[in-house]
Amino acid sequence: MRLLALDSSGLVASVAIVEEEQIVAEYTINYKKTHSQTLLPMLDEIIKMTQIDLDTIDAIAIAGGPGSFTGLRIGSATAKGLGFALGKPLIHIPTVEALAYNLYGNSQVICPIMDARRNQVYTGLYEFHEMKFRVMQDQMAVSIEELIKELNLLGREVIFIGDGIPPYRDIIKEQMKVPYSFAPAHLCRQRAGAVGTLGIEYFKEGKIETATEHQPEYLRLSQAERELREKMMAKEQR
């Protein structure tokens, strides 16, 4: 089995070609460029280097959200376009699940946190039980304080991962009452390799969709949508 995997849900842009026994190629960049500038050139470079024909892939795994609204739209449009052009199914991988999967086999509670602004994070809780990946709490958007309260109530050691660590590190240090740690730099951001590896498991379980069916999962309204709703509510209250 061979998958093309894409992740542009956060600050990182990442593309990979993944097989059951290996990651054939992975190109990840996290440096001051928009995903519309990087994603397709990165894919083109991987194809040139590996000389793999995209017709040989079985499906396209895409980090489907939550995350950056612009990044998700770019990733979704790229995956859908390739799906239509190649006649291949898509595999929608929840972004924070793929982040957690970076820490395969870890004994701690895995807590991905992506900065959702307004003192909120996109998160979920995951663990590996007898080397099987388990969702303890499905992905959600919550305040960092609410998340920490829930983690303290669990009473288990936690490892944090994701771009939400830098902005919320001080709050975590102040409020966490259970043992915790932060994932190291080489595992702490989105990777298409993790999206693709988890995508193979999804594919085996029949969790696929067509390019037409695929839609990103935002979890929250965009800023423009929030502002419009606030204006409408203000008008109604007059």
Side-chain angles (χ1 to χ4, degrees), residues 133-148:
F133 186 59
R134 288 180 51 185
V135 178
M136 300 172 61
Q137 170 67 59
D138 207 358
Q139 57 185 21
M140 55 188 172
V142 296
S143 71
I144 186 65
E145 290 87 358
E146 185 179 345
L147 173 62
I148 291 172

Side-chain angles (χ1 to χ4, degrees), residues 206-227:
K207 296 179 181 179
I208 61 174
E209 58 190 6
T210 66
T212 302
E213 292 170 332
H214 175 73
Q215 295 294 332
E217 184 177 5
Y218 297 112
L219 289 188
R220 294 197 322 177
L221 297 175
S222 68
Q223 182 176 346
E225 290 170 322
R226 289 197 303 269
E227 290 174 353

Side-chain angles (χ1 to χ4, degrees), residues 9 11-12 39-40 62 69 93 212 218 236:
S9 59
L11 299 174
V12 173
L39 210 57
L40 285 175
I62 174 71
F69 288 88
I93 302 297
T212 302
Y218 297 112
E236 290 173 358

Side-chain angles (χ1 to χ4, degrees), residues 43-55:
L43 173 58
D44 186 56
E45 189 65 25
I46 280 180
I47 292 169
K48 286 179 181 177
M49 292 292 289
T50 62
Q51 297 184 327
I52 287 176
D53 186 342
L54 285 182
D55 283 326

Side-chain angles (χ1 to χ4, degrees), residues 6-9 61-66 72 75-76 91-95 98 190 195 214:
L6 307 169
D7 193 332
S8 60
S9 59
I62 174 71
L72 289 175
S76 174
I91 307 169
H92 181 127
I93 302 297
T95 302
Q190 287 88 345
V195 173
H214 175 73

